[in-house]
Amino acid sequence: MHNEVADLLEMLRQAWGPRSWHGTGLAGSVRGVPPAQAMWRPGPGRHNIWELVLHLAYWKYAVTRRLEGGPKGGFPRDGSDWIAIADTSEAAWKADVKLLHAQHKALLETVSRFPARRLNLREKTRWTNREQIVGIASHDLYHTGQIQLLKKLSGMGERSLVFP
């Protein structure tokens, strides 16, 4: 495997976890979260953990599709980007977390086969393929921080933040 592609795969793995020097990766941030905590909102119009999980899964799918040159459409859930949640059961939550894992695995498989000579090309978007791969890793890290904060703010689970 070309070193550039190997470096990009390592970025994706670091953002995902489990061994990330920066702290909890995306996979670890949703591990053990119950559906009630996943649905908790810090305020009206604010996103919850569950919505973030689906948003992350969708964008992993979208980047994978772009890198493979595939057509739009075909995401396993209805909608795109920010997806409405109708079923708030534990089974539905587990299925959506499983979907996130599956989309991450598909992305890793696509990047592992990706030809290094195409990394600097812009294909079906204004971003180069390299920028999209780096971007999706950064996207994971950005939203992982939000998930970790939402878990603390919800007051469920570990220790909640205490405000004077």
Side-chain angles (χ1 to χ4, degrees), residues 48-91:
N48 59 39
I49 293 171
W50 200 325
E51 290 167 337
L52 289 168
V53 162
L54 288 171
H55 171 77
L56 287 156
Y58 173 78
W59 282 103
K60 285 177 179 292
Y61 161 81
V63 169
T64 301
R65 185 195 70 233
R66 286 177 187 168
L67 294 173
E68 292 176 345
K72 289 186 176 185
F75 185 64
R77 290 286 308 264
D78 289 337
S80 62
D81 201 6
W82 296 105
I83 298 169
I85 300 157
D87 181 354
T88 60
S89 68
E90 185 168 353

